[in-house]
Amino acid sequence: MQDLIELAISATAGGCIYALLALAYLVVLRPTGIINFAVGDWATVAAFAGYLGLSRYELPWAAGMPLVIVLAALLGWVTERIAVRPLVERGAPVLAPILALLGMLVVFRESVSLIFGPDPLPVPQPLGYGRIEWGLIAGSYQSFFIMGVTALLFCGTWYFFERTLAGRSFEAVALDRKAAALMGINLRRVTACAFAAGGAIAGLAALLLTPNTSAHYLMGIPLAIQGFTALVIGGVGRIEGALAGGLILSFAEQLTVRYAPIPAGLAQGVPLVLLIGFLLVRPQGLLLARGSSR
Amino acid sequence: MRTLLLVTLSVLVLSAIGFALGPYQTDVYRKLLLWVALALSYNFLFGVAGQVAFSHFTFYGIGAYAMPILLFQAGLPLPVAVVVALVVVILVALAVAIPATRLDGFYLALATLALAQLFIVVLNEGGEVTGGTGGLTNYRLPDIAGVALSGPRYTVVIVLVVVFTWFALQRVDRSFFGRACRAVRDNPQAAAAVGIDIARTKVMAYVLTSALAAVAGMVYAFVDNTVNPPIFGLENTFLLLFMVIIGGSGSLPGAVIGAVLLYLLPFVLAPLIGHHHALVFGLVMVAAVLLQPRGLIGVIESLTARWKRR
């Protein structure tokens, strides 16, 4: 029992990271119809920014964290400016920006490896090492920190999309681009904001993850795949979907590693099988995104 | 008749190059030819049929692993092994492509990305059969009719595969099926309206190109006489995509230009920037999508058109 609860807490923390990555996809995908595989490498860049700020220059977390997130938002905005806006304005098919973003993914990753080298670099723990033990509930400080921050962010995002005018305008663009434009919503600004928000969320995910795993230049693609697996599981229609998808994915992963009688290496295949299975059996999420982006 | 002449001529020229090279150049040349073969078939899938799939190297890998497994673990004779491998590849391709047709959008991209990753996991965990992370080694091509196919003679086999891929795809591209693929890519509704079976066209294009990739893989198995997982991963699939886009998607010469350029570029760039040529690839890829969606072949065509007008 003790064991199971401890597992549940670390799985929840892991699921929060996946959920954030899924959200980073979602905020871009909903209004633009673009699946942005560069999400993982935004996280990579932010992870190394975290290393620079928090490890090398030893900024306190309270200052370093907002700084890295602002930088990541800037990165998302610049990405949109370079690789997306010219194509959207030319009226290119939606595949074109997706391909350009794949190119950007490689550019980000290789720039990071050029600057920082191939070795993993540490990012410090925000609350230090330590454990909370509260009856049966026990876990590292970091797990609880991840859960707290993610919960706050999801509440904030939900409030923004459901209760504020700016958020509703995102939703309007997602439902019908042309009608939204006719209603006076600035499509360019919504797209730019979506990418900036996606960058910021991916950056936050990286900051929460790297104290446990270190920053490494190849971390992007696995994160990108886990993120959209969570997205496909949860469906792209709603913010809550990203959270649910991330948690389901993480629990499936950790429970298999812990209890299923298969080698640990094969357990890496679990999210992939889950992804293929969901695409086969319950792909409505994807369909919805395509339909509404037109 | 003209095609036959062209086939013979290109086989002779490309093989002659193979006989002129030293051991190191032979290795480079053979791999270049295999990249060209892969770029040609991927170009048909991505450029002509308009399907975004990340599974090309998975099928290349199935073909490559099938050879040592079927020949030496199952003990099948070579022709039987080739047929069995092709049947397996076609079944896997059908299993991926048929569900994909039920859905719009980027389903195929996501599903094949997962498939490609899953393939590497299976290779790494395959134990005795796939040799795990070390892959399979210590085998060689059995003599065919008493002839040992090694050195330049094996290069001729690769040349035959490349030339076959080119002319087969050219033929298909110019047939009704090729036109149907382009129609489905550009406007599925209109294609359906003139009586093209969209689902069948998509599935056939996917299976055909995947089988061609697997054939290249079977040949690859005896190039290094070793197969191991990293070669068949996502990195190379991205590179293949870049080759086709930079060269010019939808055009056979474009695919060849892209493959030759991106394969040889690292050798040229190595003294300048070491191992960071991927950064250059990424930048060129973004530039190609932004500035010239038809790739280098588009640049060449617009230049020759301007020159002719003078």
Side-chain angles (χ1 to χ4, degrees):
Chain A
M1 194 61 203
Q2 179 83 43
D3 187 56
L4 189 68
I5 291 175
E6 179 120 27
L7 185 84
I9 286 178
S10 86
T12 309
C16 285
I17 305 284
Y18 298 160
L20 288 174
L21 289 161
L23 188 62
Y25 274 104
L26 188 72
V27 292
V28 172
L29 181 66
R30 276 296 272 164
T32 62
I34 295 169
I35 299 183
N36 171 25
F37 290 111
V39 157
D41 286 81
W42 282 347
T44 311
V45 174
F48 280 88
Y51 158 76
L52 266 189
L54 300 166
S55 266
R56 179 139 359 135
Y57 296 111
E58 297 183 356
L59 291 174
W61 265 80
M65 192 163 154
L67 194 69
V68 170
I69 290 171
V70 168
L71 257 160
L74 209 63
L75 183 71
W77 182 77
V78 169
T79 310
E80 192 265 345
R81 255 302 158 75
I82 295 174
V84 177
R85 183 171 296 186
L87 292 166
V88 171
E89 288 186 350
R90 197 200 294 155
V94 69
L95 179 60
I98 293 177
L99 294 174
L101 286 166
L102 272 182
M104 294 300 283
L105 174 165
V106 173
V107 171
F108 290 142
R109 186 183 65 197
E110 295 303 320
S111 309
V112 164
S113 102
L114 188 69
I115 299 168
F116 294 96
D119 297 322
L121 294 168
V123 175
Q125 305 270 347
L127 305 174
Y129 291 94
R131 283 168 57 84
I132 292 176
E133 298 206 13
W134 206 45
L136 277 176
I137 298 170
S140 66
Y141 283 161
Q142 184 65 13
S143 295
F144 289 101
F145 183 66
I146 291 173
M147 285 186 242
V149 172
T150 308
L152 272 179
L153 185 88
F154 267 88
C155 289
T157 317
W158 183 86
Y159 182 81
F160 174 75
F161 279 113
E162 300 293 329
R163 293 284 180 270
T164 66
L165 188 62
R168 296 311 291 168
S169 75
F170 270 63
E171 192 59 24
V173 175
L175 290 174
D176 191 331
R177 277 185 87 80
K178 281 199 189 107
L182 288 172
M183 293 297 133
I185 293 170
N186 186 341
L187 288 184
R188 286 168 111 194
R189 197 163 59 203
V190 167
T191 309
C193 288
F195 272 84
I201 296 167
L204 177 67
L207 274 186
L208 294 176
L209 175 70
T210 41
N212 289 338
T213 61
S214 309
H216 188 263
Y217 80 104
L218 286 177
M219 65 194 268
I221 291 206
L223 286 181
I225 292 181
Q226 284 153 343
F228 80 62
T229 305
L231 185 70
V232 169
I233 294 173
V236 297
R238 324 180 62 148
I239 309 284
E240 307 90 282
L243 189 58
L247 292 175
I248 292 171
L249 174 62
S250 175
F251 270 88
E253 236 175 18
Q254 302 230 5
L255 289 175
T256 347
V257 172
R258 187 78 180 78
Y259 294 110
I262 52 172
L266 264 188
Q268 291 170 6
V270 169
L272 303 167
V273 173
L274 209 61
L275 172 60
I276 295 175
F278 262 88
L279 285 169
L280 284 178
V281 181
R282 198 191 167 284
Q284 290 91 332
L286 275 173
L287 270 182
L288 205 85
R290 287 285 296 165
S292 53
S293 69
R294 284 213 182 117
Chain B
M1 189 61 208
R2 200 165 148 260
T3 318
L4 197 68
L5 208 69
L6 275 173
V7 171
T8 323
L9 197 68
S10 41
V11 169
L12 284 178
V13 171
L14 289 173
S15 306
I17 298 175
F19 279 92
L21 297 173
Y24 172 67
Q25 286 102 321
T26 300
D27 188 50
V28 173
Y29 183 57
R30 286 171 166 182
K31 282 169 188 162
L32 173 66
L33 286 173
L34 286 170
W35 273 106
V36 170
L38 283 172
L40 284 170
S41 50
Y42 193 65
N43 172 62
F44 191 88
L45 180 64
F46 173 78
V48 177
Q51 299 184 33
V52 188
F54 295 104
S55 54
H56 219 57
F57 263 91
T58 307
F59 290 102
Y60 185 66
I62 296 177
Y65 268 85
M67 282 297 103
I69 291 174
L70 293 175
L71 285 175
F72 307 114
Q73 292 176 16
L76 297 175
L78 185 65
V80 181
V82 170
V83 172
V84 171
L86 272 178
V87 169
V88 170
V89 164
I90 289 171
L91 289 178
V92 175
L94 283 173
V96 177
I98 291 176
T101 57
R102 292 192 300 147
L103 293 164
D104 199 7
F106 299 100
Y107 165 81
L108 190 67
L110 300 183
T112 51
L113 202 58
L115 178 74
Q117 294 284 81
L118 195 60
F119 180 61
I120 301 300
V121 171
V122 170
L123 289 185
N124 282 332
E125 298 301 319
E128 292 283 295
V129 179
T130 65
T133 47
L136 296 168
T137 51
N138 287 329
Y139 61 84
R140 61 175 207 91
L141 185 63
D143 293 358
I144 295 165
V147 183
L149 285 176
S150 58
R153 266 173 289 179
Y154 195 65
T155 311
V156 176
V157 175
I158 305 175
V159 167
L160 286 173
V161 167
V162 176
V163 173
F164 169 76
T165 308
W166 168 288
F167 283 97
L169 286 173
Q170 191 181 48
R171 188 87 195 235
V172 170
D173 194 9
R174 290 174 182 171
S175 70
F176 175 81
F177 174 68
R179 299 289 182 243
C181 283
R182 285 175 190 267
V184 169
R185 175 195 66 186
D186 292 335
N187 192 337
Q189 282 96 347
V194 298
I196 294 168
D197 185 335
I198 296 183
R200 203 171 63 192
T201 309
K202 281 185 173 172
V203 170
M204 277 172 69
Y206 186 80
V207 172
L208 170 74
T209 52
S210 299
L212 285 173
V215 170
M218 291 179 205
V219 176
Y220 169 75
F222 303 102
V223 165
D224 287 337
N225 283 328
T226 170
V227 284
N228 49 57
I231 297 165
F232 307 107
L234 272 178
E235 286 307 304
N236 279 337
T237 306
F238 277 9
L239 186 55
L240 196 59
L241 181 68
F242 288 11
M243 284 175 174
V244 169
I245 289 173
I246 291 171
S249 66
S251 146
L252 289 173
V256 176
I257 293 173
V260 172
L261 202 70
L262 261 64
Y263 180 74
L264 294 181
L265 209 57
F267 295 96
V268 182
L269 288 177
L272 296 172
I273 53 170
H275 291 295
H276 296 287
H277 49 81
L279 180 60
V280 179
F281 291 173
L283 290 170
V284 177
M285 160 82 174
V286 176
V289 176
L290 287 177
L291 305 174
Q292 179 49 276
R294 287 170 58 232
L296 286 172
I297 204 77
V299 175
I300 293 170
E301 274 170 10
S302 63
L303 283 179
T304 48
R306 196 177 299 169
W307 187 71
K308 270 183 194 156
R309 236 182 285 135
R310 287 212 179 132

